[in-house]
Amino acid sequence: GELETELRDLLAVLPNLPAADAPDGADENSNVAVAARAFGKPPGITAPKQHFEIGEALGQMDFERAAKVSGARFVYLKAELAKLERAIAAFMLDTHTEKFGYTEVSPPVLAKSAALFGTGQLPKFQEDLFRTAGEDPFWLVPTAEVPLTNYVADEILNEAELPLRFTAFTPCFRAEAGAAGKDTRGMIRLHQFNKVELVSITTPDQSGAEHERMTDAAQEILKRLDLAHRVVTLCTGDMGFSARKTYDIEVWLPGQNAFREISSCSNCGDFQARRMTTRYRNAEGKVKGPVHTLNGPGLAVGRTLVAIL
């Protein structure tokens, strides 16, 4: 009723409590590098080209025609680059299912408002989402985190079946609100992009170890591709709205002479579970508190293609 609506509105503006080991700080300048997770060295390439220079020279990456059809921040991939994108996604899914035991899922990519409230995109990030017309719209998912995590919404799970681990390859849609002037060339920041997502549902005492394991899984892709990267722990001021601890994985892009984010693995604690009213019961049948949820790209397919190029 009205009270429930008021409580859900209150939840929408309450911040998640960061874990004690999330470094304190106001912005990215206070993030902390995780030295033990660094991998490889940036290759010494003389006068490296940007990925879009390579793709356009091949005639297999077309932003001009994509703009004609859809506008800015879209791309056509053709021939070998289209095949490479598909192969990268299959490689990621095979690795996560065969090595790390994730269950592959093909989920819906249109979701109701309640689902995006559950994972924290609504109402705070409404301007960065695409939606259909009407009073009760569908939202185009900005990440498969939305349908994968909400798979267990409004449920009481058995402790013995936890952790649940899901992975999915989907298109993702983001309005990129506030990104004017940022990454206007190339595939780094598109309105539509493909991503392999990882989601875990755990008990509270499992989530810390699961966070490390999920980060291992995301890093494994870059290690097998021999792509230099580093990992940083985000400070409290740089973490996402729903997260209590986050590792950002940043891959080296020679054309930009910089490390750029390719995955952000987050332990959301019980924040999303409380919104979704997802709990668990122990072996004796006693209903316990909310589960913990975790998510992270494993990986962003387009940015992986960029790094390879």
Side-chain angles (χ1 to χ4, degrees):
E2 292 183 4
L3 178 59
E4 180 180 1
T5 300
E6 291 178 6
L7 288 174
R8 290 175 73 90
D9 288 344
L10 178 61
L11 277 173
V13 297
L14 288 177
N16 200 10
L17 295 177
D21 51 354
D24 191 23
D27 54 38
E28 61 183 12
N29 295 316
S30 297
N31 294 341
V32 177
V34 185
R37 284 190 172 275
F39 176 84
K41 295 181 179 180
I45 301 176
T46 302
K49 295 180 179 180
Q50 290 269 40
H51 68 279
F52 52 81
E53 295 175 307
I54 298 171
E56 289 174 335
L58 290 170
Q60 298 176 17
M61 187 181 292
D62 195 327
F63 298 96
E64 185 175 344
R65 286 188 173 91
K68 178 179 64 176
V69 173
S70 302
R73 299 192 187 275
F74 290 90
V75 66
Y76 278 109
L77 294 180
K78 300 186 296 181
E80 283 83 0
L81 287 189
K83 185 176 182 180
L84 177 59
E85 182 184 46
R86 174 164 52 88
I88 290 170
F91 163 65
M92 291 175 178
L93 290 171
D94 289 346
T95 300
H96 296 317
T97 56
E98 295 170 7
K99 180 176 176 64
F100 293 98
Y102 285 85
T103 298
E104 183 175 351
V105 178
S106 180
V109 295
L110 292 174
K112 296 179 180 180
S113 298
L116 282 96
F117 178 87
T119 43
Q121 287 80 16
L122 286 177
K124 185 176 178 65
F125 302 107
Q126 178 173 329
E127 291 186 357
D128 203 34
L129 301 171
F130 291 106
R131 65 177 179 178
T132 61
E135 295 183 2
D136 189 17
F138 286 108
W139 301 82
L140 282 68
V141 299
T143 165
E145 168 198 347
V146 175
L148 292 181
T149 308
N150 278 279
Y151 184 79
V152 296
D154 301 312
E155 294 188 21
I156 301 176
L157 307 173
N158 293 321
E159 184 175 8
E161 66 181 319
L162 301 177
L164 295 174
R165 299 184 177 114
F166 303 128
T167 185
F169 168 55
T170 68
C172 303
F173 306 91
R174 298 183 186 177
E176 293 296 344
K182 298 179 181 178
D183 299 305
T184 55
R185 292 290 309 277
M187 293 178 57
I188 296 296
R189 199 181 297 270
L190 298 175
H191 288 313
Q192 175 188 325
F193 60 96
N194 293 318
K195 181 160 62 76
V196 171
E197 185 73 1
L198 304 173
V199 162
S200 295
I201 315 294
T202 76
T203 62
D205 60 354
Q206 293 170 332
S207 68
E210 186 69 14
H211 192 203
E212 302 297 324
R213 187 182 190 276
M214 176 178 285
T215 307
D216 287 342
Q219 277 195 263
E220 182 69 14
I221 301 300
L222 296 176
K223 290 178 179 179
R224 292 190 179 192
L225 294 173
D226 198 25
L227 292 172
H229 61 278
R230 66 184 184 185
V231 178
V232 298
T233 306
L234 298 193
C235 71
T236 52
D238 198 32
M239 289 194 300
F241 178 61
S242 299
R244 63 185 298 177
K245 183 179 180 182
T246 298
Y247 289 126
D248 265 12
I249 303 174
E250 301 176 341
V251 68
W252 178 256
L253 300 184
Q256 294 193 3
N257 194 37
F259 286 100
R260 295 297 302 269
E261 177 195 335
I262 197 168
S263 179
S264 192
C265 295
S266 296
N267 183 351
C268 296
D270 61 7
F271 184 67
Q272 293 176 328
R274 289 182 182 276
R275 286 173 163 236
M276 299 188 303
T277 62
T278 303
R279 297 173 291 169
Y280 71 101
R281 62 167 61 89
N282 61 19
E284 290 72 40
K286 182 178 180 180
V287 176
K288 309 289 284 186
V291 296
H292 279 196
T293 63
L294 304 93
N295 65 78
L299 304 160
V301 177
R303 291 196 179 192
T304 305
L305 184 147
V306 166
I308 291 171
L309 289 182

